[in-house]
Amino acid sequence: MERGEPGPARGFRPVPAILAVILLLAAVPRLVALDRSPPGASVDEVSNVWNAYCLLETGADQHGRRWPVLYMRAYGETRSALFLYVLAPVQAIGGPTIAASRAAGALCGLLTVLLAFYVGSRLFDRTVGLTAAALLAVNPTHVYYSRSALETTLTPLLSLLPVALLLWAGFGLGAGARAGPRAGRAALAGALCAVCLYGHWAVRLYVPVLLLGLVPAAWAVWRATLREPRGRAALAALVLGGAIVASPLAWAHLTDPEIAARGSAVGWLWTATDSAAAAAGKVLLRYLGHFGPSFLFGASDGGFYWLSGPAGWGRFHLYEAALLLAGVVALVPRLRGAVAARVLLVALLVYPAGDLLFGPAGQPHALRSLPGIVPLVLLAAFGAVALLRRVRQRHRALAAGLAVAVALWAGVTGVRWASYALDGFNREPGKRFHGHVAFLEACEWLRPRLDGYDAVFLTGAGVPHPYMYALAGLRYDPARYLADDKELVAGPLPDGRYRDSDVVFRVGKLHFMLDDRWRAEVERLKASPARERVAVVVRQPQPGLPEPALEIRGPDGDLQLLVFDTAL
């Protein structure tokens, strides 16, 4: 090098720089326009938003249960309470809004991308780790569910965390030399693995099966660990830490029938009249369906319209089919000699565990299949790196061209998906209806005016649990809610709606028109000597009411809701 000629930049570390770019790439589609994409919110989202707000303000869920850990009851069925503790601190900063609550999910998604890099790097090498992070950053399924306030937003993170924790604790599941496990880290790893069990049902079933599968997959590692005093202490700490944290949940499953209320409401995959062979056949078909091209790359939503991403797009981009195939071809020869290959294989084979028991029958469930997202991405990343390395051994220029071509394809595909998912997809009438955009807009209009009304009547037509949407949309004071008189019954209604859940007809002065009982309140108000001011939210013009104070229309101009301000 000639004097004065610039040398290599000092301090530049390519892997952190590349990872930072990948995280930025992942952040954009996960954090942009969370207030309107997806439009509105699902009933499970508003339930989580509202209950996290209750927890933040009162230290209790909507039923007054103090600091719920095992489960929260929501609108009558039980669900994991873990996500509430993720939402609450984000709401403390951003407010009890749907957008802020979705931001919590997006941050968990970014953490999962970072964790995919860590696991890929520790199992194989940093190139695989970076490739896995990049693929997960633009994965349509992971992006879509990272933009939600559903408890299943945590599923990919909680499903990956046990492997990451075992690697971090020093158990030799990855490539390269190991320093040996540490008891302190092992105890914390066991405790955090048990915390994962407090997540969604899919995680609660997947994680134990995964950990059991890692016993034979890494038997040589566990046997070598047991031979050393330090290893025995670390394994004991791992088991003890996990047992202490998991035991309350395990005991609740044995003694508290309410903890499984949601599972009983969903129903088994098989029917009571199915023979054992027929039931086993349904389970087998459901299992195999998780690996089928129609599920991984097809455009079907599996019957769950609200829970699925943009129509015409699969759970994985089409180019990943070649990478997954390359991953299988590269992984199989390594299974005998590489424990990391067997760890990945176990994670792949058991990922449907959370979706094999419950119905409905047919294509795998969009949410209960989320534990498989990261293992499949890791397989694709492993395949991509192995393929490029094989090609580079024979033709370096061809390998470079192939890498650039795949990167361009991935980039163009990701941009096309994101531009449609964040824009055109949200204007679909069905998506706006299922998100109940109009109802939430009515609540937004009512919120600053609520104290001026003596009574508010809200339609129940086409809105599941309208009280839940109203409480979230009005940002109703949780302390006020807990003190309010309420009128509710256990479902179902005579027409079959609200099976296995609560039906709320009134919260304080909010009346939900699910049947005719609201009419008695109208007559009482009419008989009052004072003129009572009321608001009425309905879908169609009503006789006897004045001109509406607000008309809410869809993107095509169709009338969706009317809000009346009148006196009785």
Side-chain angles (χ1 to χ4, degrees):
M1 180 182 298
E2 295 294 329
R3 181 174 295 182
E5 183 178 342
R10 294 184 178 182
F12 177 70
R13 302 173 64 190
V15 171
I18 295 171
L19 182 59
V21 171
I22 290 171
L23 290 174
L24 179 61
L25 177 68
V28 172
R30 285 169 174 79
L31 290 169
V32 171
L34 289 172
D35 58 333
R36 60 182 185 275
S37 177
S42 70
V43 66
D44 286 346
E45 282 188 289
V46 294
S47 173
N48 289 333
V49 170
W50 166 247
N51 277 276
Y53 186 35
C54 289
L55 190 71
L56 180 65
E57 293 293 313
T58 68
D61 66 11
Q62 70 179 77
H63 294 276
R65 189 186 296 250
R66 299 287 296 175
W67 302 110
V69 173
L70 300 176
Y71 58 84
M72 64 106 169
R73 287 194 64 239
Y75 38 80
E77 38 73 279
T78 55
R79 66 175 64 176
S80 164
L82 182 61
F83 192 43
L84 300 186
Y85 294 92
V86 176
L87 292 179
V90 178
Q91 287 190 1
I93 299 171
T97 66
I98 293 169
S101 302
R102 286 175 173 172
L107 293 174
C108 290
L110 290 176
L111 181 57
T112 309
V113 173
L114 182 61
L115 205 62
F117 162 74
Y118 176 80
V119 171
S121 299
R122 292 294 304 273
L123 283 180
F124 303 107
D125 58 45
R126 286 188 171 186
T127 305
V128 174
L130 288 172
T131 306
L135 290 175
L136 190 62
V138 297
N139 178 268
T141 302
H142 193 254
V143 170
Y144 188 74
Y145 291 119
S146 293
R147 299 177 55 84
S148 79
L150 296 168
E151 59 184 306
T152 46
T153 298
L154 291 178
T155 294
L157 176 63
L158 298 180
S159 300
L160 182 61
L161 196 57
V163 175
L165 289 167
L166 292 175
L167 290 166
W168 173 76
F171 295 102
L173 302 181
R178 63 187 181 95
R182 305 177 188 178
R185 286 193 176 192
L188 182 57
L192 292 177
C193 284
V195 169
C196 296
L197 300 176
Y198 288 78
H200 184 260
W201 273 98
V203 182
R204 202 168 296 184
L205 294 170
Y206 169 77
V207 168
V209 176
L210 170 68
L211 295 176
L212 287 174
L214 292 180
V215 174
W219 179 246
V221 171
W222 307 124
R223 184 172 55 190
T225 302
L226 284 169
R227 288 174 178 169
E228 303 172 358
R230 179 180 176 180
R232 289 194 292 272
L235 277 174
L238 178 76
V239 173
L240 182 62
I244 290 173
V245 176
S247 56
L249 183 67
W251 181 251
H253 275 284
L254 292 174
T255 60
D256 186 351
E258 191 173 2
I259 197 171
R262 192 170 195 183
S264 62
V266 171
W268 298 107
L269 178 60
W270 53 87
T271 66
T273 58
D274 284 336
S275 64
K282 288 183 177 180
V283 172
L284 178 61
L285 287 175
R286 172 64 69 86
Y287 176 83
L288 295 176
H290 288 84
F291 301 95
S294 64
F295 179 68
L296 297 177
F297 307 103
S300 171
D301 63 14
F304 303 99
Y305 180 71
W306 174 258
L307 304 180
S308 299
W313 296 84
R315 289 161 181 81
F316 288 83
H317 295 303
L318 192 58
Y319 63 83
E320 291 176 284
L323 303 183
L324 287 169
L325 180 59
V328 172
V329 172
L331 192 71
V332 170
R334 292 168 170 80
L335 291 175
R336 180 180 293 273
V339 64
R342 297 194 295 275
V343 169
L344 178 55
L345 179 66
V346 168
L348 287 164
L349 292 179
V350 305
Y351 100 76
D355 190 31
L356 299 181
L357 301 179
F358 304 111
Q363 185 160 299
H365 193 283
L367 297 184
R368 296 197 293 260
S369 301
L370 286 177
I373 292 296
V374 181
L376 287 164
V377 164
L378 284 168
L379 179 65
F382 184 72
V385 173
L387 178 62
L388 285 176
R389 286 173 175 167
R390 177 66 63 88
V391 174
R392 190 174 59 181
Q393 289 175 356
R394 301 183 179 182
H395 202 300
R396 295 180 66 88
L398 179 60
L402 184 60
V404 170
V406 172
L408 287 175
W409 190 359
V412 171
T413 302
V415 169
R416 287 182 59 237
W417 180 88
S419 62
Y420 177 55
L422 300 180
D423 184 28
F425 179 55
N426 299 318
R427 294 197 299 268
E428 293 181 4
K431 209 69 177 179
R432 290 181 62 84
F433 177 79
H434 282 81
H436 305 289
V437 175
F439 196 93
L440 289 170
E441 287 182 3
C443 292
E444 184 78 17
W445 185 89
L446 284 169
R447 187 168 67 248
R449 302 169 173 84
L450 183 62
D451 290 338
Y453 292 111
D454 298 293
V456 178
F457 299 89
L458 299 106
T459 181
V463 183
H465 298 286
Y467 88 99
M468 198 91 272
Y469 278 91
L471 295 175
L474 293 169
R475 301 179 201 173
Y476 203 83
D477 178 39
R480 177 181 178 181
Y481 168 81
L482 291 174
D484 276 341
D485 289 332
K486 305 173 190 67
E487 185 177 359
L488 62 88
V489 299
L493 292 176
D495 59 7
R497 289 179 296 163
Y498 301 110
R499 183 175 66 89
D500 299 308
S501 62
D502 294 336
V503 186
V504 177
F505 296 97
R506 182 174 66 84
V507 173
K509 62 183 176 183
L510 304 179
H511 299 262
F512 304 98
M513 296 184 284
L514 297 166
D515 61 11
D516 288 337
R517 67 187 68 196
W518 58 273
R519 297 183 185 278
E521 178 64 12
V522 171
E523 295 303 319
R524 187 190 71 80
L525 293 172
K526 286 181 176 180
S528 172
R531 288 181 59 79
E532 307 286 353
R533 187 183 176 200
V534 302
V536 182
V537 180
V538 289
R539 295 200 176 276
Q540 300 293 334
Q542 301 294 312
L545 290 177
E547 288 295 310
L550 177 68
E551 291 186 357
I552 301 176
R553 298 182 178 272
D556 298 330
D558 56 311
L559 182 63
Q560 296 186 345
L561 274 181
L562 295 165
V563 182
F564 295 92
D565 182 333
T566 188
L568 296 179

